[in-house]
Amino acid sequence: MNRNWIDEQEQLKSQVICSDTYDWQHKRCISRVGGVDLSFIKGDENVACAALVICEYPDFNVVYEDVKMVPLTAPYEPGFLAFREAPALIEAFSRLCYTNPSLVPECVLVDGNGILHPRGFGLASHIGVLCNVPTVGVAKSLLVMDGILRDEDHKHKISLLRERGDHFSLNTISGKTLGLAVKTSDSSKKPMYVSVGHKISLHTAAWLVCHCSKYRIPEPVRQADIRSREFIRKNY
C-alpha cells in the first residue's frame, strides 16, 4: 500500500479536518475503490436490492460485484437511515472479505452522508466503523442542518462552480466544516455533497470522489446503482 496513504491514516487519529486549500492534481496510489447502494421496489418497503461493487482505479473496470435482495427490518426514519440500510451493506462487505480478500478496496464510497449529518454519524460512518475500512459519504442532495441550508446563498455558490474539482465548504453556524459541495463533472450543473465517513480526511475524500467521476455520480456508486436497478428489473 502506498506510504502516503498509510501516513495519512496515522495522522487522522487526531481527526483534524483540513482547510479549503487543496491541490486537485495531487496523486495517490490507490488500486481499488468500492461503491455501495440500495435500490428499492416501488410499493414494497420491506425489501431492497443491496449492491457492493469494486472498481479498479483509475480505469474503473468492475472486478467484483455482490448484488442481492435483502429484507429491511427497520422502518424509514429521517436521520436514522443507517439502521435501515447499513446491515445489508456491511454483510456484503463481510462476504467480500471472506471470499475475495485480495479485492478489498482501499476506500468505499457510500451513497449517503458521513459526518455531514445532524448527529455527526451517517450511513458512511456506520459502514466505515463497523467494517474497519476508509469510507466517504457521497450524497446527491444536501441534508439541511445547523446553518447548512438550501437557500439563495447556497444556490449562488453552486452557480460559481465552473470546472470539475471546483468546490465550497459546508459550514455549521459555529464554523465547523462538515463537508464540501464538489463539482465532479464539467457537464453537471449540480454538485455532489462529500463528507468524511471513516479513516480519511475531507480533502482526500473530495479528491477521490472527483477523480472517480466520469459523470456527476462517482463511478463505483454509479455502477452499484445500475446493477441493483437492473437486478430488480430482471427479477421483479
Side-chain angles (χ1 to χ4, degrees):
M1 187 177 291
N2 183 266
R3 187 69 241 175
N4 286 344
W5 183 273
I6 296 172
D7 289 344
E8 183 186 53
Q9 303 313 301
E10 293 298 319
Q11 294 167 8
L12 286 173
K13 289 179 180 178
S14 62
Q15 296 298 303
V16 175
I17 295 177
C18 304
S19 68
D20 263 351
T21 304
Y22 191 76
D23 177 8
W24 291 96
Q25 300 304 314
H26 186 59
K27 304 298 182 184
R28 292 179 184 272
C29 182
I30 297 174
S31 59
R32 293 176 302 278
V33 182
V36 293
D37 193 20
L38 266 75
S39 292
F40 301 88
I41 300 173
K42 187 175 181 179
D44 191 339
E45 298 183 354
N46 298 315
V47 295
C49 185
L52 164 65
V53 168
I54 308 299
C55 294
E56 292 181 327
Y57 181 86
D59 56 18
F60 303 111
N61 291 329
V62 175
V63 294
Y64 176 91
E65 67 174 271
D66 183 317
V67 182
K68 182 180 179 180
M69 295 303 298
V70 296
L72 299 174
T73 58
Y76 171 73
E77 291 288 344
F80 294 91
L81 183 67
F83 293 95
R84 181 170 169 83
E85 297 190 3
L89 299 174
I90 292 167
E91 184 179 327
F93 190 84
S94 296
R95 284 195 294 270
L96 166 67
C97 294
Y98 181 75
T99 62
N100 290 276
S102 64
L103 294 179
V104 172
E106 285 84 6
C107 188
V108 177
L109 307 183
V110 179
D111 181 20
N113 290 291
I115 67 169
L116 182 59
H117 186 274
R119 293 169 181 82
F121 203 84
L123 178 61
S125 298
H126 277 257
I127 292 173
V129 170
L130 293 175
C131 293
N132 192 30
V133 64
T135 55
V136 178
V138 189
K140 295 183 284 291
S141 58
L142 180 66
L143 192 59
V144 173
M145 72 193 87
D146 190 23
I148 300 175
L149 306 172
R150 290 190 294 263
D151 56 11
E152 291 303 315
D153 180 62
H154 184 77
K155 293 177 183 178
H156 176 66
K157 288 179 179 178
I158 290 176
S159 72
L160 298 178
L161 303 178
R162 305 299 184 190
E163 300 178 349
R164 184 172 76 102
D166 288 352
H167 61 288
F168 61 87
S169 298
L170 303 169
N171 300 324
T172 64
I173 293 173
S174 65
K176 184 177 180 180
T177 300
L178 296 185
L180 296 174
V182 183
K183 185 176 178 67
T184 53
S185 168
D186 288 335
S187 60
S188 176
K189 295 181 180 179
K190 296 180 179 180
M192 295 298 291
Y193 297 100
V194 178
S195 59
V196 170
H198 184 54
K199 284 189 170 182
I200 194 168
S201 73
L202 176 57
H203 291 279
T204 298
W207 173 87
L208 184 60
V209 168
C210 195
H211 284 267
C212 284
S213 299
K214 297 179 181 179
Y215 309 101
R216 181 193 175 210
I217 299 173
E219 198 62 17
V221 175
R222 180 173 172 270
Q223 287 299 325
D225 176 68
I226 289 172
R227 290 159 197 259
S228 59
R229 290 179 185 274
E230 181 67 10
F231 186 90
I232 289 175
R233 188 188 68 79
K234 286 183 176 180
N235 294 282
Y236 292 86

